[in-house]
């Protein structure tokens, strides 16, 4: 039985990945930070099938202890301060978790067992002010937020340890991927929940920032399959994971509100305070290398994804009202 250790197991990607690995017969353990309030909602359905270890990306010894105790064959480093707007208000914390935290995971692997295979969650935000369209593995990085800068560090330190210490370490440069488990602070979930709340008469308005920003949005459940596939290859490598299709925030709003039977223009207000100091206007990925080498392709379309999220929010809100 293969063993996997996931940092960030309580997050959107961590929960989908844990389910995937369990289905493949893995023994799955996850790292969680000590907190006064437990936030295990996303893994509630599988909590009795996984092992949770208390550790922290900023605490090197706790990572070493967790790896020694669990003896994983694979480590998926998904933990980070992952909300871009917060990286502007907490840039140092973002750097510590999202950049230096990667080094501490790699160091722990080097010290405990260099044969462990590692997946590092890189991000399309590294491309920022894009230097070419679409973006692929060889596209130059130009991050436009402290989060994007931290992710560039995490990406290159992974490459560095792979080449310096022969560690099987892969970076997945994942473009935006969403699901009903997405945090409510992210624009996709903010929009779908607002459409559901307005539909049910719980509110009437939602405030948004730049409606013209364009992203390459896919389904998180599809993307975790690519993470697993990367660690099953003969040689470690980095891959862009994306749908290859770009949609504006306005399109997202139109689909969500139309599906809920609403006219979005009656309910959306633009708030300049929600526009980033340095905006990323267009991200669209070229995942042809992943298709060629991993056999990976996205299965859920953008429209299906948005409708899935609206349905989930409607169901949850109606359940909460009972």
């Amino acid at each position: 039985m293969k063993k996997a250790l996931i940092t960030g197991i309580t997050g959107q990607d961590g929960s989908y990945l844990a389910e995937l690995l369990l289905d493949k017969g893995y023994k799955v353990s996850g790292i969680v930070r000590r907190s006064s309030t437990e936030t295990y909602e996303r893994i509630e359905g599988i909590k009795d099938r996984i092992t949770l270890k208390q550790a922290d990306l900023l605490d090197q010894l706790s990572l070493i202890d967790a790896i020694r105790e669990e003896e994983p064959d694979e480590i998926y480093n998904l933990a980070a301060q992952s909300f871009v707007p917060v990286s502007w208000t907490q840039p140092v914390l973002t750097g510590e978790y999202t950049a230096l935290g990667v080094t501490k995971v790699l160091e722990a692997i080097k010290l405990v067992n260099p044969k462990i295979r590692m997946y590092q969650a890189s991000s399309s935000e590294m491309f920022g002010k894009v230097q070419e369209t679409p973006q692929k593995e060889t596209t130059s990085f130009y991050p436009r937020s402290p989060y994007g800068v931290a992710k560039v560090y995490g990406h290159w330190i992974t490459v560095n340890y792979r080449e310096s210490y022969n560690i099987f370490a892969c970076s997945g440069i994942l473009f935006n991927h969403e699901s009903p488990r997405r945090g409510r602070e992210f624009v996709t979930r903010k929009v779908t929940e607002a459409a559901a709340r307005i539909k049910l008469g719980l509110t009437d308005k939602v405030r948004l920032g730049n409606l013209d920003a364009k992203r390459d949005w896919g389904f998180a459940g599809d993307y975790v399959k690519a993470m697993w596939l990367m660690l099953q290859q003969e040689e470690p490598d980095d891959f862009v994971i994306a749908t290859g299709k770009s949609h504006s925030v306005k399109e997202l709003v139109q689909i969500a509100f139309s599906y809920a039977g609403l006219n979005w223009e009656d309910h959306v207000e633009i708030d300049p305070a929600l526009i980033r100091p340095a905006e990323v206007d267009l991200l669209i990925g070229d995942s042809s290398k992943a298709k060629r080498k991993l056999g990976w392709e996205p299965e859920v379309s953008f429209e299906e994804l948005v409708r899935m999220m609206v349905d989930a929010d409607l169901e949850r809100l109606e359940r909460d009202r009972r």
Side-chain angles (χ1 to χ4, degrees), residues 19-260:
E19 290 171 0
L20 175 76
L21 295 175
L22 287 170
D23 287 345
K24 292 186 178 296
Y26 279 66
K27 179 181 183 293
V28 177
S29 53
I31 284 177
V32 293
R33 279 185 294 164
R34 173 75 181 91
S35 173
S36 57
T37 56
E38 290 188 352
T39 52
Y40 298 156
E41 178 186 353
R42 295 184 182 97
I43 56 170
E44 203 58 53
I46 57 169
K47 215 171 144 199
D48 59 342
R49 299 170 61 201
I50 61 178
T51 303
L52 297 179
K53 306 292 295 184
Q54 284 193 357
D56 195 297
L57 286 190
L58 303 189
D59 184 348
Q60 183 83 67
L61 285 175
S62 70
L63 292 174
I64 291 170
D65 286 343
I67 293 171
R68 278 185 177 147
E69 289 169 15
E70 294 304 306
E71 300 180 326
D73 301 290
E74 300 170 359
I75 292 178
Y76 296 84
N77 184 40
L78 310 185
Q81 191 301 101
S82 60
F83 188 45
V84 176
V86 167
S87 77
W88 290 103
T89 56
Q90 295 185 296
V92 175
L93 181 75
T94 300
E96 287 174 338
Y97 273 109
T98 308
L100 291 177
V102 185
T103 311
K104 292 181 180 180
V105 174
L106 286 162
E107 267 297 296
I109 290 171
K110 179 166 74 81
L111 287 166
V112 178
N113 179 8
K115 290 186 168 58
I116 294 170
R117 296 189 170 202
M118 177 191 158
Y119 170 83
Q120 165 58 20
S122 287
S123 168
S124 60
E125 289 287 331
M126 300 190 304
F127 295 121
K129 189 176 180 181
V130 298
Q131 303 301 290
E132 65 176 337
T133 300
Q135 295 87 53
K136 50 185 181 285
E137 291 81 5
T138 54
T139 303
S140 297
F141 299 138
Y142 195 142
R144 297 270 280 171
S145 67
Y147 170 78
V149 172
K151 279 293 185 183
V152 170
Y153 176 97
H155 180 85
W156 282 118
I157 201 68
T158 301
V159 172
N160 196 269
Y161 271 66
R162 178 170 73 213
E163 295 177 352
S164 301
Y165 302 114
N166 201 30
I167 291 173
F168 193 110
C170 303
S171 282
I173 307 173
L174 271 57
F175 280 63
N176 294 65
H177 46 289
E178 319 295 321
S179 76
R181 300 178 193 174
R182 191 51 137 161
R184 291 182 178 89
E185 67 273 24
F186 290 85
V187 69
T188 45
R189 185 70 191 287
K190 185 176 180 179
V191 167
T192 62
E193 186 175 55
R197 291 180 69 84
I198 293 167
K199 171 76 171 177
L200 296 175
L202 299 174
T203 188
D204 189 51
K205 299 288 183 184
V206 61
R207 294 158 66 204
L208 298 172
N210 181 11
L211 295 186
D212 296 322
K214 291 185 175 181
R215 295 290 184 273
D216 184 330
W217 276 299
F219 173 50
D222 288 342
Y223 284 40
V224 298
K225 294 174 190 172
M227 299 177 186
W228 175 77
L229 284 166
M230 287 179 213
L231 296 196
Q232 313 314 309
Q233 305 306 302
E234 289 186 12
E235 299 293 332
D237 205 349
D238 305 323
F239 294 88
V240 162
I241 303 299
T243 70
K245 297 176 182 176
S246 189
H247 301 275
S248 67
V249 176
K250 184 182 283 186
E251 286 178 76
L252 163 69
V253 172
Q254 288 171 334
I255 292 170
F257 277 70
S258 174
Y259 185 61

